[in-house]
Amino acid sequence: MSFKYTVMNKGILGLAKAVSYLPDELLASLSKKQLQKVRFPEGREFILSFMKTLKHRWRKLNPNVRKKLVENMVGNYFINSRDKRYKMEEELGCSPLFLVISPSMRCNLVCTGCYSANYDRSDSLDYATLDRILREAKEAGIYYIVVSGGEPFVRDDLLTLFEKHNDMTFMVYTNGTLIHTKKLVPKLVKLGNVVPCISIEGYEKETDARRGKGTYKKIMSAMDSLKKEGIFFGYSATPTKFNNDLLVSDEFVDFMIDKGASIGWYFNYMPVGRYPDTDLMTNPEQRAFRLKRMGELRKTKDITVADFWNDGLLTGGCISGGRSYFHINASGDVEPCAFAQFSVDNILNKSLKEVLMSDFFRSIRSRQGEMGNHYRPCMVIDRPQVLRDHVARFGAKASQPGAEKLLTGKLAAEVDAIATEWKKYADKIWTENGGIPEVDTGHHIGNNHIIHGTTTTSKTTKPVARIAAKTTTKTKKTRDIENTQTVN
């Protein structure tokens, strides 16, 4: 690290310490001018919520964890890498803020409805390949990596990789049991750049019913150790028809806060992977209730929460296909999203830049610009025809056996019915909040998208003031601040 960045990071660390003593109202007032540059009101709300959460946790965090949060997230991710991301955007037409890597699809649990259960269990991404991917990511200005699976901590060499790339932040989705049994907390403290997010389904009854008897107690032990040692961590929850309301209840969220969690990620159950079952999916009323609760929780709770299917307003819609992120599975297949399990490229024989410029990804990014209602962001369960069109046109293969059932047959018909029902609710919520109704042009993929690879927005779907601020010419600084919305 250069002398310039060393001095800058020390200054940011000192500023963060001072901010931790500010009243919440003063922090909001001082941040207001910068937050106004974030395009969507919900994005401002999310960022302010995260700032408050971090402020409240700051003095309880281990000093090394604080240091790495400042150096990697604030310094490297938000400041030092901006020019690299601008260059990427000018060169490729996109600039992902993060990427998801599943280094292994092996797992020590057998969970009901696991989204990744049918993947090949061999780890084709060896250490050298993972190292190469991370180096290319940094060259592209990506310093934030989400690690998924499988269970990431089945691979002991990951900790070595995290140590080598100690200038990056790694958020790890984990079932939490190996943090307990492998006694990983001291190692995570020493690293400082790992943010574990532990999967949980509710309380003991709900969690053990899906993940196996005894899992909940191991999770509780892991959370207690993480909190005690001052590690910044969160939880990951999968709302289904049976636990949706529980997971967004005041009681459960307060319980997670008490256990030490600073972040809560919500992933709607998806009919992919092990025995897809649309009966497990939330109904429209439940999804609408969860949407409402997300906003309430961000305003009233000392934790930052986000919902990957209901928070499209935070991100301006779908963020897959390299718009803000993409997924590399353990076989090296490059997927638009961890749940859109189709691929045309493999990272074993292509670079990050090459996969980002595939016609498959470019067309997905272009199509995203035409999706006016951000309460229907997902091309898997909200707009399934978009996924089918792209798979057919570009010859994408199912990278997980069974994914092809989303294209035709019984499962596809069930997903279509769910999408149709949700559309009624989502369109009503959208127009009630000032959005202009979408007009179906009957066009899914245009040849011009492939030629130019640009993102366009139909005039008929452009949200009005309450949903999105008036479009203006953006400076580099403004665009960078807007891009911080796409955390999820």
Side-chain angles (χ1 to χ4, degrees), residues 122-174:
S122 59
D123 298 338
S124 298
L125 297 180
D126 58 18
Y127 183 91
T129 302
L130 291 169
D131 180 53
R132 189 257 296 176
I133 293 170
L134 295 182
R135 284 187 279 108
E136 290 183 5
K138 285 188 281 190
E139 290 171 4
I142 304 171
Y143 281 80
Y144 181 68
I145 306 295
V146 176
V147 184
S148 190
E151 168 52 47
F153 288 125
V154 299
R155 287 190 59 160
D156 294 328
D157 60 350
L158 277 191
L159 298 181
T160 304
L161 193 73
F162 297 162
E163 182 178 14
K164 179 176 182 180
H165 294 274
N166 64 1
D167 54 349
M168 306 180 88
T169 297
F170 297 91
M171 191 178 77
V172 181
Y173 286 119
T174 170

Side-chain angles (χ1 to χ4, degrees), residues 107 109-115 117 175 201 207 209-212 215 274:
C107 188
L109 301 182
V110 182
C111 302
T112 302
C114 175
Y115 82 99
N175 62 44
E201 313 302 328
T207 300
R210 186 185 187 203
R211 298 183 172 272
T215 301
R274 178 176 288 123

Side-chain angles (χ1 to χ4, degrees), residues 296-308:
E296 294 172 349
L297 292 171
R298 279 194 285 267
K299 291 177 181 177
T300 61
K301 301 297 181 182
D302 188 18
I303 191 169
T304 299
V305 294
D307 187 316
F308 279 62

Side-chain angles (χ1 to χ4, degrees), residues 40 309 311-313 316-317 371-377 383 430 463 467:
F40 301 104
W309 278 263
D311 274 331
L313 290 188
M371 298 179 186
N373 186 342
H374 298 328
Y375 292 121
R376 298 173 53 229
R383 303 171 188 263
W430 177 251
I467 298 295

